[in-house]
Amino acid sequence: MPSQEAKLLSEFLLTPAPLRDFMTLRQFTDIFPRGHRTNPAVQDVYRELQRLREKDIELVRQAIADEIKKSKRLCREYARERRQLDDATVAGLDPVALQMEEEASSTDCRRKPHTLATVHASIEEACQSLESQVADIEDENARALTEVQEVVGALSDLRHGRFAQPASGEDLGEEVLATLRRLEAVCAKPGD
């Protein structure tokens, strides 16, 4: 019985491929002008196209067979590597201790495949994790929105000439002058 891969590739690439499957000699002859339709060379061209098409189909069949062989070889190599990985032991750690470590670790990458009974719990756990992440992102966005609204409010006050008393208690003019002096000192300093 052919593999699923061979069946899929053959059905997709080979089934509609022969020229006679999608164009008869009559349809091919109708492509030519009326004066040339009875010319025997039209039949010869059609047969030559059929022969070339069959040659191409045979090349595709061979490529499919080669791909199936390569796929089987890769599957065997993967299975062998997987067995080696499963059988590997950590130096200085006996297999029982290694198994206990794997059972205790929640990041075990060699879990058994899911069954119908276990997949539901895993999906629920993933959903809860995603919902928690979404809630955290929404909280972070709400904090950022609040900060932006505060800055916009402060800029609005500045635009309308309503200034808040500086936190240092100094006169606003004195604070602006001190800031400008610091800026001037920074700008006058040669680049480090």
Side-chain angles (χ1 to χ4, degrees):
M1 181 175 176
S3 69
Q4 190 70 11
E5 183 180 14
K7 182 179 175 186
L8 181 67
L9 288 172
S10 296
E11 286 178 4
F12 184 71
L13 297 173
L14 298 177
T15 301
L19 184 61
R20 66 183 171 278
D21 285 357
F22 59 89
M23 181 178 279
T24 64
L25 176 59
R26 177 73 179 160
Q27 291 170 327
F28 183 75
T29 305
D30 288 344
I31 294 172
F32 292 90
R34 285 194 191 276
H36 297 284
R37 290 181 184 171
T38 57
N39 189 335
V42 172
Q43 261 188 332
D44 292 340
V45 170
Y46 182 76
R47 286 194 181 99
E48 180 63 17
L49 285 173
Q50 275 185 317
R51 188 187 66 73
L52 290 173
R53 189 78 174 186
E54 288 299 325
K55 184 179 174 184
D56 289 342
I57 291 171
E58 190 52 42
L59 288 173
V60 171
R61 276 193 185 101
Q62 186 60 44
I64 289 172
D66 292 345
E67 188 64 32
I68 300 305
K69 287 178 187 174
K70 188 185 340 177
S71 172
K72 288 179 181 177
R73 188 186 79 241
L74 288 173
C75 285
R76 284 192 304 269
E77 288 176 12
Y78 175 74
R80 187 184 68 232
E81 288 176 11
R82 189 70 186 190
R83 280 192 305 275
Q84 287 174 348
L85 184 65
D86 287 343
D87 294 341
T89 59
V90 177
L93 192 63
D94 66 286
V96 173
L98 180 63
Q99 183 178 1
M100 288 173 51
E101 178 66 28
E102 287 176 354
E103 289 173 2
S105 172
S106 63
T107 59
D108 182 19
C109 63
R110 295 185 285 164
R111 293 181 185 160
K112 294 190 187 318
H114 281 293
T115 64
L116 193 55
T118 63
V119 75
H120 182 70
S122 293
I123 290 173
E124 285 294 323
E125 182 180 322
C127 287
Q128 289 173 357
S129 174
L130 286 173
E131 288 171 356
S132 173
Q133 290 175 7
V134 167
D136 291 345
I137 290 171
E138 286 175 349
D139 290 344
E140 187 177 323
N141 287 343
R143 283 192 299 274
L145 179 61
T146 302
E147 287 179 31
V148 167
Q149 288 171 338
E150 288 173 2
V151 169
V152 167
L155 290 174
S156 177
D157 289 347
L158 181 63
R159 179 177 176 201
H160 296 293
R162 290 179 269 151
F163 301 109
Q165 182 67 20
S168 64
E170 295 179 8
D171 180 38
L172 181 61
E174 291 296 320
E175 188 172 323
V176 170
L177 284 175
T179 303
L180 288 174
R181 284 188 197 110
R182 283 195 308 264
L183 179 62
E184 186 178 43
V186 168
C187 291
K189 222 187 259 186
D192 293 28

